[in-house]
Amino acid sequence: MAHCVTLVQLSVSCDHLIDKDIGSKSDPLCVLLQDVGGGNWTELGRTERVQNCSSPEFSKTLQLEYHFETVQKLRFGIYDIDNKTPELGDDDFLGGAECSLGQIVSSRMLTLPLMLKPGKPAGRGTITVSAQELKDNRVVTMEVEARNLDKKDFLGKSDPFLEFFRQGDGKWHLAYRSEVIKNNLNPTWKRFSVPLQHFCGGDASTPIQVRCSDYDSDGSHDLIGTFHTSLAQLQAAPAEFECIHPEKQQKKKSYKNSGTICVKMCQVETEHSFLDYVMGGCQINFTVGVDFTGSNGDPSSPDSLHYLSPTGVNEYLTALWSVGSVVQDYDSDKLFPAFGFGAQVPPDWQQYFVLLLLTDGAVTDVEATREAVVRASYLPMSVIIVGVGCADFEAMEQLDADGGPLHTRSGEAAARDIVQFVPYRRFQNAPREALAQTVLAEVPTQLVSYFRAQGWAPFKPPPPAAKGPAQAPQA
């Protein structure tokens, strides 16, 4: 039976958070972590930070895969963010909660008490998490501006921002919050995109409430006006909507509106994923560069990153193994160029040179490479040169103290000796997965963002030509 795997997004809100800031409320942010075994947790994502708010509703959702056959233990941490650093160690912890993803999807909306530590509640603080299955990859892209908004600030104009809410389960759910535009009654907000499922649940007739407010740093934002619409109406852009303040409308008979919201563009587009590009033929190349400069220190010293431990492991080899074992699956020819830099090699004394390249255990142009790869006389170290193989780093060549190759026999024989010298298979106990995730975590997002900026859709190879009926052999 096939595993039940789908992508879900989690919406998070909190109530009654404790206040850690003096003279104001906290600036909360939610971090999602997943148990990866052995007492280790890995971060899956973070929401945005909401300023001066003790009961925040986060607009940024947290996405992860749902696997029916496993227990996916999750941990939600709420932090008061008062600086621009991504580390959380210097931020105040407002409370956390643990549960499984199965609990969330089976409940559809799960509310848990926040705990500072086991047995110690974080005041009356609670966290509410709801899940939605992402059934398609369509997004709503919009451009919005406003005209003649009400002035809300005594010494200035207004600092307007927009919020879009979708209706569901008898309440309004925040789908998007725009940036704040300072001191402007005729603002134009940046173009934005929201997943269609998150924006309206995939239904163009779902009621949408749009609120325009004046931002205040203490969290007491003033409502400028609001209006109700739907995705179907927004798609009729360009369209204008009157921004209505309910209290002003009741008090003043001559009241018309508090400004006009102009939707310049609203389109439903398909947002291609990383796998769309990979399955369309996009490949990732892996190139190795080895630093030959003396700044790395003496490799015989344990303090150097080049230090080769008695087990045959150093930081560089672990990094290359971790990243290369992942990237190799996206390269069809399995050929990985390796270069050195930071040393001058004869006869031309070039500072950039090709290293020994090994593929499937076979050495490519060994003699020419040996002539080029010579350690500079001022570098008092042995240098480990890694050859990248089809599925492993299958061989390496070590330079001896006088700068010549340690092995003078054929490349194949040298490769066999070095494989025995360096126990690569011992890497199976190293935390390679965590290292690879750290290095490669941003690659899919960066790749998709670049292709999207270029307007490049995934390539769709034509289907193979249909084969005709077999013909009888000619006499």
Side-chain angles (χ1 to χ4, degrees), residues 377-428:
S377 59
Y378 65 83
L379 193 63
M381 64 177 65
S382 297
V383 180
I384 303 302
I385 301 172
V386 179
V388 184
C390 179
D392 300 313
F393 301 101
E394 293 183 331
M396 57 190 288
E397 182 162 285
Q398 185 178 35
L399 303 183
D400 64 9
D402 62 8
L406 180 63
H407 299 278
T408 57
R409 291 170 292 162
S410 68
E412 289 80 3
R416 285 194 296 271
D417 286 353
I418 298 167
V419 167
Q420 295 174 3
F421 174 68
V422 180
Y424 290 99
R425 296 304 178 266
R426 296 186 186 180
F427 287 175
Q428 64 184 2

Side-chain angles (χ1 to χ4, degrees), residues 132-301:
Q132 243 186 343
E133 182 181 5
L134 290 177
K135 299 179 181 179
D136 59 49
N137 57 350
R138 291 176 295 171
V139 296
V140 179
T141 302
M142 299 179 63
E143 290 182 5
V144 184
E145 62 184 15
R147 294 290 178 264
N148 303 318
L149 296 178
D150 283 353
K151 176 183 174 181
K152 290 290 185 178
D153 295 338
F154 178 73
L155 297 177
K157 298 178 181 179
S158 291
D159 305 322
F161 67 96
L162 294 176
E163 291 178 306
F164 290 76
F165 298 83
R166 72 175 186 278
Q167 191 177 59
D169 299 327
K171 61 179 295 186
W172 293 101
H173 301 271
L174 179 63
Y176 175 75
R177 180 185 292 121
S178 76
E179 76 278 12
V180 176
I181 298 182
K182 294 287 188 177
N183 200 36
N184 197 325
L185 300 180
N186 299 285
T188 297
W189 290 278
K190 296 178 182 179
R191 176 185 292 199
F192 64 90
S193 296
V194 185
L196 180 66
Q197 194 71 22
H198 184 54
F199 188 76
C200 63
D203 185 355
S205 64
T206 295
I208 301 293
Q209 182 189 78
V210 183
R211 295 172 61 91
C212 181
S213 302
D214 171 44
Y215 173 82
D216 288 322
S217 59
D218 62 359
S220 58
H221 312 308
D222 298 317
L223 176 66
I224 296 177
T226 184
F227 65 91
H228 292 80
T229 182
S230 66
L231 176 60
Q233 294 176 345
L234 293 172
Q235 284 183 288
E240 293 188 358
F241 300 89
E242 290 188 329
C243 208
I244 303 298
H245 192 292
E247 293 182 2
K248 285 188 175 183
Q249 189 180 43
Q250 290 180 358
K251 292 180 180 179
K252 297 181 180 180
K253 293 183 179 180
S254 60
Y255 176 81
K256 292 184 178 179
N257 58 58
S258 295
T260 303
I261 304 297
C262 309
V263 180
K264 299 167 58 178
M265 183 269 288
C266 178
Q267 297 176 349
V268 176
E269 305 170 325
T270 298
E271 186 175 55
H272 299 296
S273 67
F274 176 66
L275 284 180
D276 288 334
Y277 288 101
V278 170
M279 294 177 180
C282 176
Q283 296 193 21
I284 302 175
N285 297 320
F286 180 45
T287 301
V288 178
V290 178
D291 185 358
F292 277 71
T293 63
S295 60
N296 292 287
D298 186 346
S300 64
S301 170

